[in-house]
Amino acid sequence: MNTTQSHQGESVIQIHNLTKVFGDFKAVDSISLEVKKGEIFGFLGANGAGKTTAMKILCGLSLPSSGSVAGFDLYTQSEQIKRNIGYMSQKFALYDDLKVWENIYLFGRIYGMSRTEIFDKMDRVLENLDFLDKKDWLTEKLPLGWKQKLAFCVANFHSPKVIFLDEPTGGVDPITRRKFWELIHEVASKGTSIFVTTHYMDEVEYCHRISIMVDGKIKALDTPKNLKKQYSVQDMESVFFTLASQATRGEW
């Protein structure tokens, strides 16, 4: 998988001095970053760093001071943002008592697609994922790796500009994780931006760029190769440990 790709085009995410305060606690402290079209951007931070709060803001679930996602203002256009992004959580969030195709149809409608659009696209997408023969399976019958693939399919089905993946490979084996990242790179190569959090440092190597948050601030932002060179280490785990160990606050 190529992680050296340069992205110089359209900005899909653009935030400047993003801040979120809860009482006297500054969960997100003036962070700035930009994600380009087709870029796989890793968003890292230990528990308490503020990354979950920041991701909620970027998904339009919490109000910030300023910023944009998919060309929409975070403060005034949160509903438009929700229709132009995809989201996949670590915990499987689809409906086990629905069939595979029913989950796709339901979320397609939630994202504003017409019946015709959904059925015109569904079989083509499922065939591309080697999933067509499982179209009528109850979702609860799927192995974990297939559930993960289905959740990603649903997040990408309405052709969003950016997909947010919140620790999407938690609990699956290394081979399945590798295959999932191949799917991520395939989608990104077609122009969809991927914004991903992960605790697996080997997965960080698959990102084009990463940021690392500590105590609500972004302490590092660059390619994995450049960060390893900057900190004179051989792997991203060492970079992450060096920065995360500087944290002074507890989990938030």
Side-chain angles (χ1 to χ4, degrees):
M1 285 177 282
N2 177 25
T3 60
T4 60
Q5 182 177 351
S6 176
H7 295 85
Q8 304 293 333
E10 172 190 351
S11 294
V12 178
I13 298 175
Q14 190 173 37
I15 57 175
H16 300 286
N17 299 321
L18 183 66
T19 300
K20 185 69 175 182
V21 178
F22 297 95
D24 295 329
F25 183 81
K26 192 171 285 188
V28 180
D29 189 359
S30 300
I31 68 172
S32 299
L33 60 85
E34 190 172 17
V35 179
K36 297 292 188 178
K37 181 178 179 179
E39 182 175 20
I40 301 173
F41 188 89
F43 194 59
L44 310 183
N47 291 337
K51 69 180 188 301
T52 299
T53 300
M55 180 173 273
K56 287 181 178 179
I57 292 171
L58 294 175
C59 291
L61 301 176
S62 182
L63 290 177
S65 55
S66 64
S68 67
V69 173
F72 297 99
D73 184 82
L74 280 163
Y75 192 79
T76 62
Q77 298 178 300
S78 62
E79 291 305 314
Q80 290 94 321
I81 287 173
K82 292 172 189 175
R83 287 185 175 272
N84 284 272
I85 66 171
Y87 176 78
M88 177 181 169
S89 63
Q90 179 182 13
K91 182 179 179 181
F92 185 69
L94 304 184
Y95 291 93
D96 278 334
D97 56 346
L98 294 181
K99 295 178 180 179
V100 166
W101 77 265
E102 290 173 328
N103 267 299
I104 295 173
Y105 178 81
L106 172 63
F107 284 92
R109 294 292 284 164
I110 288 172
Y111 280 117
M113 297 177 69
S114 69
R115 288 172 54 91
T116 301
E117 286 179 302
I118 293 170
F119 287 115
D120 282 350
K121 187 175 184 179
M122 187 183 297
D123 283 0
R124 185 171 69 254
V125 170
L126 289 175
E127 185 172 15
N128 184 55
L129 294 174
D130 297 322
F131 222 129
L132 191 57
D133 60 337
K134 298 174 179 62
K135 178 179 178 179
D136 290 312
W137 282 30
L138 276 178
T139 304
E140 67 179 356
K141 302 296 184 182
L142 295 173
L144 179 58
W146 285 97
K147 283 187 174 183
Q148 177 194 53
K149 186 184 286 191
L150 176 60
F152 187 70
C153 170
V154 167
N156 186 49
F157 190 73
H158 59 296
S159 302
K161 292 184 177 181
V162 57
I163 301 175
F164 290 90
L165 304 177
D166 192 3
E167 299 183 25
T169 57
V172 300
D173 63 86
I175 294 176
T176 302
R177 288 200 287 119
R178 173 77 181 194
K179 289 180 178 177
F180 187 77
W181 274 90
E182 290 174 353
L183 183 59
I184 289 175
H185 272 263
E186 179 184 344
V187 170
S189 69
K190 297 176 182 177
T192 300
S193 302
I194 307 292
F195 191 96
V196 58
T197 69
T198 180
H199 284 304
Y200 295 112
M201 291 300 107
D202 60 318
E203 293 185 350
V204 174
E205 303 281 358
Y206 303 149
C207 298
H208 298 127
R209 288 188 305 141
I210 63 167
S211 69
I212 300 176
M213 286 187 71
V214 179
D215 290 345
K217 294 178 178 291
I218 291 179
K219 293 294 186 180
L221 200 168
D222 211 328
T223 66
K225 180 180 178 180
N226 288 344
L227 287 174
K228 287 184 288 186
K229 182 177 180 180
Q230 178 182 341
Y231 287 91
S232 302
V233 294
Q234 297 299 312
D235 53 58
M236 283 305 305
E237 184 173 3
S238 298
V239 175
F240 183 81
F241 180 79
T242 298
L243 291 167
S245 63
Q246 300 172 9
T248 60
R249 71 190 194 190
E251 184 171 348
W252 172 253

